[in-house]
Amino acid sequence: PHNINVASRQRSSERVFLEALRQEVYEQYRPAFGEVTAILRDGGFRRSDLKEVGIENETNRFLNYVRLTHVIGDEAWKTAPLRSPAERRQTIESYAREWVEAADNKVPQDYVAW
């Protein structure tokens, strides 16, 4: 594209930030999100009221439920211990069983329509 100068060796702070964010998303967040999605799908932890939106959106709503119900505040995320895959699976399955049956699943009533 005409707006890219290949000869330029100096990277702007915005470009550095975006590259770091891209790397973080693809190396950390996306695999972790995929792990949670697989556990929900393979374990049959699906909410009937969210089946229309797809498993990825359902995973997002599940993670929101966990954030609002069990992992409240930024410090809780920062101080959480690192867990093995087996420990993560056990914790996620425990929260997923609770979420599937929860009356207050933290999903707005108009979410599917939206």
Side-chain angles (χ1 to χ4, degrees):
H2 70 292
N3 64 343
I4 295 179
N5 181 0
V6 178
S8 172
R9 300 239 183 248
Q10 188 174 18
R11 295 181 0 172
S12 69
S13 58
E14 179 183 13
R15 186 172 173 189
V16 170
F17 168 77
L18 290 174
E19 177 58 25
L21 180 61
R22 184 200 63 78
Q23 187 174 5
E24 194 171 17
V25 166
Y26 283 101
E27 291 180 7
Q28 293 178 15
Y29 298 133
R30 191 172 182 113
F33 189 88
E35 179 181 354
V36 174
T37 299
I39 291 169
L40 293 177
R41 183 186 57 241
D42 298 346
F45 301 112
R46 306 289 305 270
R47 289 195 60 96
S48 60
D49 54 334
L50 293 175
K51 285 190 179 183
E52 294 177 38
V53 299
I55 188 69
E56 290 82 11
N57 287 317
E58 197 169 346
T59 301
N60 186 46
R61 295 289 81 201
F62 166 70
L63 291 171
N64 185 60
Y65 170 81
V66 172
R67 180 181 63 84
L68 294 173
T69 308
H70 296 286
V71 190
I72 300 167
D74 289 337
E75 286 304 311
W77 288 104
K78 292 175 185 175
T79 60
L82 294 177
R83 295 186 170 120
S84 70
E87 291 172 318
R88 289 193 306 266
R89 175 175 283 281
Q90 183 178 11
T91 301
I92 293 166
E93 286 177 346
S94 173
Y95 289 156
R97 275 190 288 281
E98 178 184 308
W99 179 67
V100 167
E101 298 174 6
D104 181 13
N105 63 1
K106 308 295 185 196
V107 178
Q109 287 187 345
D110 62 345
Y111 181 76
V112 173
W114 175 67

